[in-house]
PDB file of all heavy atoms in Angstrom:
ATOM      1  N   THR M   5      22.076   3.926   4.384  1.00 98.00           N
ATOM      2  CA  THR M   5      23.461   3.465   4.317  1.00 98.00           C
ATOM      3  C   THR M   5      24.398   4.500   4.924  1.00 98.00           C
ATOM      4  O   THR M   5      25.397   4.145   5.553  1.00 98.00           O
ATOM      5  CB  THR M   5      23.876   3.168   2.864  1.00 98.00           C
ATOM      6  OG1 THR M   5      23.680   4.322   2.049  1.00 98.00           O
ATOM      7  CG2 THR M   5      23.079   2.015   2.304  1.00 98.00           C
ATOM      8  N   LEU M   6      24.084   5.781   4.777  1.00 98.00           N
ATOM      9  CA  LEU M   6      24.899   6.813   5.401  1.00 98.00           C
ATOM     10  C   LEU M   6      24.857   6.689   6.923  1.00 98.00           C
ATOM     11  O   LEU M   6      25.882   6.839   7.597  1.00 98.00           O
ATOM     12  CB  LEU M   6      24.421   8.202   4.966  1.00 98.00           C
ATOM     13  CG  LEU M   6      25.146   9.397   5.591  1.00 98.00           C
ATOM     14  CD1 LEU M   6      26.649   9.328   5.335  1.00 98.00           C
ATOM     15  CD2 LEU M   6      24.570  10.710   5.052  1.00 98.00           C
ATOM     16  N   ALA M   7      23.680   6.388   7.478  1.00 98.00           N
ATOM     17  CA  ALA M   7      23.581   6.180   8.921  1.00 98.00           C
ATOM     18  C   ALA M   7      24.458   5.015   9.363  1.00 98.00           C
ATOM     19  O   ALA M   7      25.137   5.080  10.398  1.00 98.00           O
ATOM     20  CB  ALA M   7      22.125   5.941   9.314  1.00 98.00           C
ATOM     21  N   TYR M   8      24.459   3.932   8.582  1.00 98.00           N
ATOM     22  CA  TYR M   8      25.336   2.802   8.900  1.00 98.00           C
ATOM     23  C   TYR M   8      26.799   3.222   8.857  1.00 98.00           C
ATOM     24  O   TYR M   8      27.583   2.937   9.779  1.00 98.00           O
ATOM     25  CB  TYR M   8      25.102   1.630   7.941  1.00 98.00           C
ATOM     26  CG  TYR M   8      26.291   0.695   7.928  1.00 98.00           C
ATOM     27  CD1 TYR M   8      26.503  -0.178   8.997  1.00 98.00           C
ATOM     28  CD2 TYR M   8      27.231   0.751   6.893  1.00 98.00           C
ATOM     29  CE1 TYR M   8      27.645  -0.980   9.025  1.00 98.00           C
ATOM     30  CE2 TYR M   8      28.355  -0.056   6.918  1.00 98.00           C
ATOM     31  CZ  TYR M   8      28.565  -0.922   7.988  1.00 98.00           C
ATOM     32  OH  TYR M   8      29.686  -1.701   8.024  1.00 98.00           O
ATOM     33  N   HIS M   9      27.215   3.884   7.773  1.00 98.00           N
ATOM     34  CA  HIS M   9      28.620   4.307   7.651  1.00 98.00           C
ATOM     35  C   HIS M   9      29.011   5.244   8.787  1.00 98.00           C
ATOM     36  O   HIS M   9      30.135   5.172   9.311  1.00 98.00           O
ATOM     37  CB  HIS M   9      28.848   4.992   6.306  1.00 98.00           C
ATOM     38  CG  HIS M   9      28.808   4.081   5.120  1.00 98.00           C
ATOM     39  ND1 HIS M   9      29.623   2.984   4.990  1.00 98.00           N
ATOM     40  CD2 HIS M   9      28.029   4.103   3.999  1.00 98.00           C
ATOM     41  CE1 HIS M   9      29.371   2.368   3.849  1.00 98.00           C
ATOM     42  NE2 HIS M   9      28.406   3.029   3.233  1.00 98.00           N
ATOM     43  N   PHE M  10      28.089   6.115   9.182  1.00 98.00           N
ATOM     44  CA  PHE M  10      28.372   7.026  10.288  1.00 98.00           C
ATOM     45  C   PHE M  10      28.593   6.241  11.580  1.00 98.00           C
ATOM     46  O   PHE M  10      29.550   6.486  12.319  1.00 98.00           O
ATOM     47  CB  PHE M  10      27.228   8.022  10.466  1.00 98.00           C
ATOM     48  CG  PHE M  10      27.424   8.971  11.611  1.00 98.00           C
ATOM     49  CD1 PHE M  10      28.214  10.104  11.471  1.00 98.00           C
ATOM     50  CD2 PHE M  10      26.834   8.722  12.848  1.00 98.00           C
ATOM     51  CE1 PHE M  10      28.425  10.977  12.532  1.00 98.00           C
ATOM     52  CE2 PHE M  10      27.032   9.583  13.919  1.00 98.00           C
ATOM     53  CZ  PHE M  10      27.825  10.712  13.759  1.00 98.00           C
ATOM     54  N   ALA M  11      27.713   5.287  11.852  1.00 98.00           N
ATOM     55  CA  ALA M  11      27.847   4.484  13.069  1.00 98.00           C
ATOM     56  C   ALA M  11      29.122   3.651  13.050  1.00 98.00           C
ATOM     57  O   ALA M  11      29.753   3.435  14.088  1.00 98.00           O
ATOM     58  CB  ALA M  11      26.626   3.587  13.225  1.00 98.00           C
ATOM     59  N   ALA M  12      29.517   3.180  11.869  1.00 98.00           N
ATOM     60  CA  ALA M  12      30.734   2.388  11.759  1.00 98.00           C
ATOM     61  C   ALA M  12      31.976   3.211  12.095  1.00 98.00           C
ATOM     62  O   ALA M  12      32.956   2.676  12.629  1.00 98.00           O
ATOM     63  CB  ALA M  12      30.855   1.811  10.349  1.00 98.00           C
ATOM     64  N   ARG M  13      31.938   4.498  11.802  1.00 97.00           N
ATOM     65  CA  ARG M  13      33.081   5.367  12.061  1.00 97.00           C
ATOM     66  C   ARG M  13      32.988   6.068  13.414  1.00 97.00           C
ATOM     67  O   ARG M  13      34.005   6.464  13.986  1.00 97.00           O
ATOM     68  CB  ARG M  13      33.202   6.414  10.944  1.00 97.00           C
ATOM     69  CG  ARG M  13      33.669   5.830   9.610  1.00 97.00           C
ATOM     70  CD  ARG M  13      33.331   6.777   8.485  1.00 97.00           C
ATOM     71  NE  ARG M  13      33.891   6.383   7.208  1.00 97.00           N
ATOM     72  CZ  ARG M  13      33.414   5.405   6.437  1.00 97.00           C
ATOM     73  NH1 ARG M  13      32.384   4.682   6.859  1.00 97.00           N
ATOM     74  NH2 ARG M  13      33.973   5.120   5.275  1.00 97.00           N
ATOM     75  N   HIS M  14      31.765   6.247  13.908  1.00 98.00           N
ATOM     76  CA  HIS M  14      31.573   6.983  15.160  1.00 98.00           C
ATOM     77  C   HIS M  14      30.619   6.196  16.065  1.00 98.00           C
ATOM     78  O   HIS M  14      29.547   6.673  16.425  1.00 98.00           O
ATOM     79  CB  HIS M  14      31.005   8.377  14.871  1.00 98.00           C
ATOM     80  CG  HIS M  14      31.880   9.217  13.990  1.00 98.00           C
ATOM     81  ND1 HIS M  14      33.055   9.796  14.422  1.00 98.00           N
ATOM     82  CD2 HIS M  14      31.757   9.560  12.672  1.00 98.00           C
ATOM     83  CE1 HIS M  14      33.615  10.468  13.429  1.00 98.00           C
ATOM     84  NE2 HIS M  14      32.858  10.343  12.356  1.00 98.00           N
ATOM     85  N   ARG M  15      31.032   4.997  16.422  1.00 96.00           N
ATOM     86  CA  ARG M  15      30.180   4.112  17.204  1.00 96.00           C
ATOM     87  C   ARG M  15      29.700   4.765  18.500  1.00 96.00           C
ATOM     88  O   ARG M  15      28.556   4.547  18.933  1.00 96.00           O
ATOM     89  CB  ARG M  15      30.955   2.816  17.518  1.00 96.00           C
ATOM     90  CG  ARG M  15      30.344   1.929  18.584  1.00 96.00           C
ATOM     91  CD  ARG M  15      28.984   1.401  18.154  1.00 96.00           C
ATOM     92  NE  ARG M  15      28.353   0.648  19.224  1.00 96.00           N
ATOM     93  CZ  ARG M  15      27.631   1.180  20.211  1.00 96.00           C
ATOM     94  NH1 ARG M  15      27.451   2.489  20.267  1.00 96.00           N
ATOM     95  NH2 ARG M  15      27.088   0.429  21.138  1.00 96.00           N
ATOM     96  N   GLU M  16      30.550   5.564  19.110  1.00 96.00           N
ATOM     97  CA  GLU M  16      30.209   6.168  20.406  1.00 96.00           C
ATOM     98  C   GLU M  16      29.120   7.226  20.308  1.00 96.00           C
ATOM     99  O   GLU M  16      28.573   7.658  21.323  1.00 96.00           O
ATOM    100  CB  GLU M  16      31.466   6.797  21.021  1.00 96.00           C
ATOM    101  CG  GLU M  16      31.939   8.097  20.375  1.00 96.00           C
ATOM    102  CD  GLU M  16      32.616   7.946  19.014  1.00 96.00           C
ATOM    103  OE1 GLU M  16      32.811   6.778  18.583  1.00 96.00           O
ATOM    104  OE2 GLU M  16      32.946   8.972  18.390  1.00 96.00           O
ATOM    105  N   ARG M  17      28.732   7.593  19.094  1.00 97.00           N
ATOM    106  CA  ARG M  17      27.768   8.673  18.924  1.00 97.00           C
ATOM    107  C   ARG M  17      26.381   8.184  18.502  1.00 97.00           C
ATOM    108  O   ARG M  17      25.512   9.003  18.208  1.00 97.00           O
ATOM    109  CB  ARG M  17      28.290   9.681  17.893  1.00 97.00           C
ATOM    110  CG  ARG M  17      29.624  10.310  18.312  1.00 97.00           C
ATOM    111  CD  ARG M  17      29.919  11.571  17.558  1.00 97.00           C
ATOM    112  NE  ARG M  17      28.962  12.627  17.864  1.00 97.00           N
ATOM    113  CZ  ARG M  17      29.097  13.894  17.465  1.00 97.00           C
ATOM    114  NH1 ARG M  17      30.153  14.236  16.742  1.00 97.00           N
ATOM    115  NH2 ARG M  17      28.201  14.804  17.761  1.00 97.00           N
ATOM    116  N   VAL M  18      26.180   6.872  18.488  1.00 98.00           N
ATOM    117  CA  VAL M  18      24.905   6.320  18.026  1.00 98.00           C
ATOM    118  C   VAL M  18      24.384   5.322  19.050  1.00 98.00           C
ATOM    119  O   VAL M  18      25.080   4.366  19.410  1.00 98.00           O
ATOM    120  CB  VAL M  18      25.065   5.629  16.663  1.00 98.00           C
ATOM    121  CG1 VAL M  18      23.758   4.981  16.235  1.00 98.00           C
ATOM    122  CG2 VAL M  18      25.533   6.629  15.610  1.00 98.00           C
ATOM    123  N   GLY M  19      23.137   5.537  19.506  1.00 98.00           N
ATOM    124  CA  GLY M  19      22.523   4.581  20.410  1.00 98.00           C
ATOM    125  C   GLY M  19      21.878   3.427  19.677  1.00 98.00           C
ATOM    126  O   GLY M  19      21.941   2.275  20.108  1.00 98.00           O
ATOM    127  N   GLY M  20      21.230   3.704  18.559  1.00 98.00           N
ATOM    128  CA  GLY M  20      20.576   2.684  17.761  1.00 98.00           C
ATOM    129  C   GLY M  20      20.457   3.144  16.326  1.00 98.00           C
ATOM    130  O   GLY M  20      20.585   4.348  16.029  1.00 98.00           O
ATOM    131  N   LEU M  21      20.195   2.207  15.423  1.00 98.00           N
ATOM    132  CA  LEU M  21      20.136   2.508  13.988  1.00 98.00           C
ATOM    133  C   LEU M  21      18.795   2.099  13.404  1.00 98.00           C
ATOM    134  O   LEU M  21      18.317   0.983  13.626  1.00 98.00           O
ATOM    135  CB  LEU M  21      21.235   1.741  13.235  1.00 98.00           C
ATOM    136  CG  LEU M  21      22.644   2.307  13.216  1.00 98.00           C
ATOM    137  CD1 LEU M  21      23.566   1.331  12.485  1.00 98.00           C
ATOM    138  CD2 LEU M  21      22.677   3.664  12.547  1.00 98.00           C
ATOM    139  N   GLY M  22      18.200   2.999  12.628  1.00 98.00           N
ATOM    140  CA  GLY M  22      17.002   2.692  11.864  1.00 98.00           C
ATOM    141  C   GLY M  22      17.331   2.721  10.389  1.00 98.00           C
ATOM    142  O   GLY M  22      17.592   3.801   9.839  1.00 98.00           O
ATOM    143  N   LEU M  23      17.375   1.569   9.750  1.00 98.00           N
ATOM    144  CA  LEU M  23      17.735   1.460   8.330  1.00 98.00           C
ATOM    145  C   LEU M  23      16.470   1.214   7.529  1.00 98.00           C
ATOM    146  O   LEU M  23      15.930   0.104   7.519  1.00 98.00           O
ATOM    147  CB  LEU M  23      18.753   0.342   8.127  1.00 98.00           C
ATOM    148  CG  LEU M  23      19.997   0.393   9.039  1.00 98.00           C
ATOM    149  CD1 LEU M  23      20.943  -0.751   8.725  1.00 98.00           C
ATOM    150  CD2 LEU M  23      20.707   1.738   8.910  1.00 98.00           C
ATOM    151  N   LEU M  24      15.995   2.243   6.872  1.00 98.00           N
ATOM    152  CA  LEU M  24      14.712   2.217   6.178  1.00 98.00           C
ATOM    153  C   LEU M  24      14.954   2.192   4.670  1.00 98.00           C
ATOM    154  O   LEU M  24      15.404   3.184   4.092  1.00 98.00           O
ATOM    155  CB  LEU M  24      13.882   3.447   6.575  1.00 98.00           C
ATOM    156  CG  LEU M  24      13.771   3.696   8.088  1.00 98.00           C
ATOM    157  CD1 LEU M  24      13.061   5.022   8.366  1.00 98.00           C
ATOM    158  CD2 LEU M  24      13.056   2.536   8.777  1.00 98.00           C
ATOM    159  N   SER M  25      14.728   1.053   4.052  1.00 98.00           N
ATOM    160  CA  SER M  25      15.039   0.876   2.626  1.00 98.00           C
ATOM    161  C   SER M  25      16.446   1.380   2.319  1.00 98.00           C
ATOM    162  O   SER M  25      16.644   2.240   1.452  1.00 98.00           O
ATOM    163  CB  SER M  25      14.021   1.630   1.752  1.00 98.00           C
ATOM    164  OG  SER M  25      12.698   1.300   2.086  1.00 98.00           O
ATOM    165  N   PRO M  26      17.462   0.870   3.019  1.00 97.00           N
ATOM    166  CA  PRO M  26      18.810   1.446   2.932  1.00 97.00           C
ATOM    167  C   PRO M  26      19.543   1.077   1.646  1.00 97.00           C
ATOM    168  O   PRO M  26      20.315   0.122   1.582  1.00 97.00           O
ATOM    169  CB  PRO M  26      19.512   0.850   4.155  1.00 97.00           C
ATOM    170  CG  PRO M  26      18.848  -0.473   4.344  1.00 97.00           C
ATOM    171  CD  PRO M  26      17.419  -0.277   3.947  1.00 97.00           C
ATOM    172  N   ALA M  27      19.331   1.838   0.601  1.00 93.00           N
ATOM    173  CA  ALA M  27      19.912   1.548  -0.714  1.00 93.00           C
ATOM    174  C   ALA M  27      21.358   2.026  -0.789  1.00 93.00           C
ATOM    175  O   ALA M  27      21.685   3.111  -0.324  1.00 93.00           O
ATOM    176  CB  ALA M  27      19.087   2.231  -1.797  1.00 93.00           C
ATOM    177  N   GLY M  28      22.217   1.182  -1.378  1.00 92.00           N
ATOM    178  CA  GLY M  28      23.548   1.661  -1.688  1.00 92.00           C
ATOM    179  C   GLY M  28      24.677   1.027  -0.920  1.00 92.00           C
ATOM    180  O   GLY M  28      25.724   1.658  -0.745  1.00 92.00           O
ATOM    181  N   LEU M  29      24.529  -0.197  -0.455  1.00 94.00           N
ATOM    182  CA  LEU M  29      25.647  -0.899   0.166  1.00 94.00           C
ATOM    183  C   LEU M  29      26.115  -2.029  -0.746  1.00 94.00           C
ATOM    184  O   LEU M  29      27.305  -2.285  -0.870  1.00 94.00           O
ATOM    185  CB  LEU M  29      25.237  -1.452   1.532  1.00 94.00           C
ATOM    186  CG  LEU M  29      26.366  -1.671   2.553  1.00 94.00           C
ATOM    187  CD1 LEU M  29      27.102  -0.377   2.832  1.00 94.00           C
ATOM    188  CD2 LEU M  29      25.816  -2.269   3.834  1.00 94.00           C
ATOM    189  N   THR M  30      25.169  -2.679  -1.390  1.00 92.00           N
ATOM    190  CA  THR M  30      25.504  -3.781  -2.306  1.00 92.00           C
ATOM    191  C   THR M  30      25.094  -3.473  -3.740  1.00 92.00           C
ATOM    192  O   THR M  30      25.028  -4.371  -4.580  1.00 92.00           O
ATOM    193  CB  THR M  30      24.808  -5.076  -1.853  1.00 92.00           C
ATOM    194  OG1 THR M  30      23.385  -4.869  -1.821  1.00 92.00           O
ATOM    195  CG2 THR M  30      25.289  -5.505  -0.484  1.00 92.00           C
ATOM    196  N   GLY M  31      24.814  -2.203  -4.016  1.00 91.00           N
ATOM    197  CA  GLY M  31      24.443  -1.815  -5.363  1.00 91.00           C
ATOM    198  C   GLY M  31      22.982  -1.415  -5.480  1.00 91.00           C
ATOM    199  O   GLY M  31      22.157  -1.761  -4.634  1.00 91.00           O
ATOM    200  N   VAL M  32      22.679  -0.638  -6.498  1.00 90.00           N
ATOM    201  CA  VAL M  32      21.324  -0.194  -6.795  1.00 90.00           C
ATOM    202  C   VAL M  32      20.999  -0.600  -8.229  1.00 90.00           C
ATOM    203  O   VAL M  32      21.756  -0.260  -9.152  1.00 90.00           O
ATOM    204  CB  VAL M  32      21.184   1.331  -6.646  1.00 90.00           C
ATOM    205  CG1 VAL M  32      19.805   1.802  -7.090  1.00 90.00           C
ATOM    206  CG2 VAL M  32      21.433   1.747  -5.190  1.00 90.00           C
ATOM    207  N   PRO M  33      19.920  -1.322  -8.450  1.00 88.00           N
ATOM    208  CA  PRO M  33      19.568  -1.711  -9.813  1.00 88.00           C
ATOM    209  C   PRO M  33      19.490  -0.504 -10.749  1.00 88.00           C
ATOM    210  O   PRO M  33      18.966   0.543 -10.373  1.00 88.00           O
ATOM    211  CB  PRO M  33      18.192  -2.368  -9.644  1.00 88.00           C
ATOM    212  CG  PRO M  33      18.193  -2.886  -8.240  1.00 88.00           C
ATOM    213  CD  PRO M  33      18.975  -1.870  -7.446  1.00 88.00           C
ATOM    214  N   LEU M  34      20.051  -0.640 -11.935  1.00 83.00           N
ATOM    215  CA  LEU M  34      20.033   0.386 -12.989  1.00 83.00           C
ATOM    216  C   LEU M  34      20.909   1.596 -12.670  1.00 83.00           C
ATOM    217  O   LEU M  34      20.837   2.607 -13.377  1.00 83.00           O
ATOM    218  CB  LEU M  34      18.600   0.864 -13.277  1.00 83.00           C
ATOM    219  CG  LEU M  34      17.617  -0.218 -13.742  1.00 83.00           C
ATOM    220  CD1 LEU M  34      16.243   0.409 -14.003  1.00 83.00           C
ATOM    221  CD2 LEU M  34      18.117  -0.912 -14.987  1.00 83.00           C
TER     222      LEU M  34
END
């Protein structure tokens, strides 16, 4: 999720995104 947030703020600095079990955008159980 941090990689996503980084790309959202600094689009020009990311060629592609690898989101591997990206916990923490819509909540984490418990």
